[in-house]
Amino acid sequence: MNRNILRLAIPNIVANVTIPLLGLVDLALMGHLDSEVFIGAVSLGTVIFNFIYWGFSFLRMGTSGFTAQAYGEKNKPESYHILLRAMLISSVIGLLILFLQFPIEWLSFQLINGTDEVESLAREYFRIRIWAAPATLGLYVLNGWFLGMQNARLPMITSIAANVFNIVLSFLFVKTFHLNSAGVALGTVLAQYLGVVLGLFLFFRSYRQLIQPWNWTAIIDAKAMKNFFRVNSDIFIRTFCVIFVFTFFTSKSASINNHMLAVNSILIQFLLFFAFFIDGFAYAGEALAGRYKGEQNRGLFLRLTRLLFYWGSLLAFAFALTYLFANQLILGLLTNQQELIETALNFRFWLVLLPLLSFASFIWDGIYIGATASKEMRNSMLGASLLVFLPGYFLMQPILGEHALWLAMMLFMLSRGVFQTFLFPRVMRHNFIKQ
């Protein structure tokens, strides 16, 4: 079992490392320019796209869970139809985003606050990066499908390639052509399309035997579509809660001043960096939990859960120690502006707590996605965001000031894991025939 977990987790960790590295490179490129407004502009622009793309991340999660279950059932035709179904839906959504880009821009900047200079640059960033929407959603589907087929190598190749393209192109546009934040956006657009082309090439090379004549009846099967949208609507609500929390965090930071926005934009990278490591094990959980559900193997499902928490706790302690002893070194890599570093060091206590309080929520997410236990995921996230995060911030802000945002974030991450732990027996009852 450990071998299967690591076989899936390690390639995903390798692939995921390039994602925070991309964010770190973007941040470092902006952090070494002559003004902190560029950091703020990319941060605000990224928040908007988190809203858009995280909102549709159900395309990856749902595809992964359903594909893994079809794999466990040894239903190859359905595995292929799941891919076509998800790609069709992602294409329609991607084109709809492009069609609605102007109202999306207007609404986004009504909700997010920033100074005039930062907002002007963020709008420029938005108007370029929005054109990556169809490719980004297509990559979600391809990588989710590969993972559901118990193949972590192909999404690793696709993700690494897309992110390396992004880093190289962003560096080129910023340093050579001096496009600043607009260069980062343009690099992202081109890299996403290169990534989806590579993903399709890998599919045709590795899974040609699954390809069947086009069958509209099977692809748009009413029962399958209803199940797909039922699960993914729950995942959408769950993901919207995550977006809301991070948007609230960034917006409140921006409402303080540009300096605090820049500081928290830097500090949140510590959470994102850990998330992409722990997500390697969560993704392994998606693939294996879905497979064991498809096989109706309750014993292996429970064993998988125990082992995933073992690996997750080890990783959390390793990151906590790293953040304890190397926080100043990491901050120095993100920016050379000493004022930002000095302010950020006042929050280092929260950085150490981050992995310890959050790892369980990531592990549970992977297990729940594999089991397509979407209702329980949705309910736990609603409780953590509305009943814990918001009250935590508003009650403690008069006492803790700027630190209240970080306390609320810690409570949010911790409560997610707690709620999911209590809901797990229900997941087992609903997904396995009593043995």
Side-chain angles (χ1 to χ4, degrees):
M1 176 72 76
N2 278 320
R3 185 177 300 171
N4 279 336
I5 291 173
L6 293 175
R7 175 180 61 83
L8 292 166
I10 291 175
N12 278 304
I13 290 173
V14 173
N16 285 346
V17 165
T18 64
I19 299 174
L21 281 178
L22 169 62
L24 294 175
V25 168
D26 287 351
L27 194 62
L29 285 171
M30 299 299 97
H32 286 79
L33 295 176
D34 57 3
S35 174
E36 62 189 21
V37 298
F38 293 111
I39 297 178
V42 171
S43 178
L44 289 185
T46 300
V47 165
I48 295 170
F49 286 103
N50 287 346
F51 239 111
I52 298 171
Y53 295 140
W54 286 6
F56 294 111
S57 62
F58 65 78
L59 291 167
R60 187 201 65 76
M61 298 179 191
T63 302
S64 174
F66 283 117
T67 305
Q69 291 173 29
Y71 181 92
E73 295 168 356
K74 297 181 173 55
N75 191 340
K76 292 182 179 179
E78 179 59 14
S79 298
Y80 178 62
H81 291 139
I82 288 170
L83 174 63
L84 295 182
R85 198 173 296 132
M87 286 296 286
L88 175 64
I89 293 169
S90 73
S91 298
V92 171
I93 293 173
L95 293 174
L96 189 61
I97 290 172
L98 291 181
F99 181 75
L100 296 174
Q101 62 180 284
F102 297 112
I104 291 172
E105 177 187 347
W106 177 85
L107 178 61
S108 298
F109 286 97
Q110 291 296 310
L111 297 174
I112 297 177
N113 297 316
T115 64
D116 291 343
E117 189 176 5
V118 168
E119 185 175 310
S120 175
L121 290 169
R123 285 180 182 275
E124 180 184 39
Y125 178 92
F126 172 88
R127 291 167 185 170
I128 297 171
R129 188 175 165 184
I130 193 69
W131 290 95
T136 300
L137 299 184
L139 276 175
Y140 282 176
V141 169
L142 285 168
N143 287 339
W145 190 85
F146 288 144
L147 184 61
M149 294 296 289
Q150 314 296 296
N151 188 333
R153 186 175 61 87
L154 296 188
M156 177 186 71
I157 294 171
T158 304
S159 296
I160 289 176
N163 289 310
V164 168
F165 289 149
N166 203 337
I167 290 169
V168 171
L169 290 169
S170 294
F171 191 89
L172 175 68
F173 292 139
V174 172
K175 290 297 185 181
T176 302
F177 297 105
H178 307 292
L179 296 178
N180 299 328
S181 51
V184 170
L186 182 58
T188 300
V189 172
L190 295 178
Q192 293 295 289
Y193 281 100
L194 289 172
V196 80
V197 169
L198 176 60
L200 289 171
F201 169 78
L202 292 173
F203 166 76
F204 284 110
R205 193 186 71 171
S206 301
Y207 293 99
R208 187 179 299 274
Q209 72 277 8
L210 293 182
I211 298 176
Q212 303 171 28
W214 189 269
N215 185 343
W216 269 111
T217 303
I219 295 170
I220 60 173
D221 176 74
K223 183 178 178 181
M225 279 288 193
K226 181 179 178 181
N227 200 27
F228 188 87
F229 281 109
R230 176 187 61 80
V231 168
N232 286 317
S233 63
D234 289 335
I235 296 177
F236 177 84
I237 295 170
R238 169 259 179 204
T239 306
F240 185 84
C241 291
V242 177
I243 297 168
F244 168 77
V245 167
F246 279 85
T247 303
F248 183 95
F249 184 93
T250 303
S251 182
K252 287 296 180 183
S253 300
S255 68
I256 299 171
N257 52 51
N258 285 344
H259 180 77
M260 202 62 224
L261 172 60
V263 168
N264 278 343
S265 298
I266 291 169
L267 291 174
I268 206 68
Q269 299 301 315
F270 286 77
L271 172 58
L272 298 179
F273 192 60
F274 171 68
F276 287 118
F277 267 82
I278 195 68
D279 266 344
F281 290 95
Y283 290 173
E286 290 179 27
L288 293 172
R291 174 181 173 179
Y292 297 145
K293 177 184 175 179
E295 295 173 353
Q296 279 295 293
N297 195 322
R298 180 187 178 93
L300 285 181
F301 190 96
L302 289 172
R303 188 180 175 207
L304 168 69
T305 301
R306 289 193 296 270
L307 290 175
L308 285 173
F309 271 89
Y310 168 77
W311 287 108
S313 61
L314 286 180
L315 193 64
F317 278 105
F319 266 82
L321 290 173
T322 301
Y323 290 169
L324 177 63
F325 294 108
N327 53 74
Q328 192 161 358
L329 174 64
I330 298 170
L331 288 169
L333 295 174
L334 296 177
T335 181
N336 60 356
Q337 297 181 37
Q338 194 59 36
E339 288 185 4
L340 294 179
I341 293 174
E342 290 175 0
T343 303
L345 288 174
N346 294 328
F347 295 82
R348 58 182 177 268
F349 170 75
W350 301 114
L351 301 180
V352 177
L353 288 180
L354 263 176
L356 300 175
L357 298 182
S358 65
F359 82 92
S361 63
F362 291 102
I363 296 297
W364 278 130
D365 278 352
I367 295 167
Y368 278 45
I369 290 167
T372 55
S374 58
K375 183 178 179 181
E376 290 79 7
M377 286 183 67
R378 179 199 67 195
N379 291 344
S380 63
M381 189 63 74
L382 284 169
S385 57
L386 299 180
L387 302 180
V388 178
F389 175 78
L390 285 178
Y393 172 74
F394 286 113
L395 288 174
M396 299 308 297
Q397 196 278 331
I399 302 171
L400 298 179
E402 295 163 354
H403 285 268
L405 276 173
W406 283 99
L407 173 63
M409 182 64 76
M410 298 301 107
L411 293 174
F412 169 71
M413 301 303 293
L414 176 63
S415 61
R416 284 173 58 192
V418 172
F419 289 145
Q420 287 170 307
T421 300
F422 280 110
L423 290 171
F424 185 63
R426 175 175 174 163
V427 172
M428 295 301 297
R429 288 195 302 271
H430 288 179
N431 286 280
F432 289 92
I433 300 171
K434 193 169 184 180
Q435 298 175 348

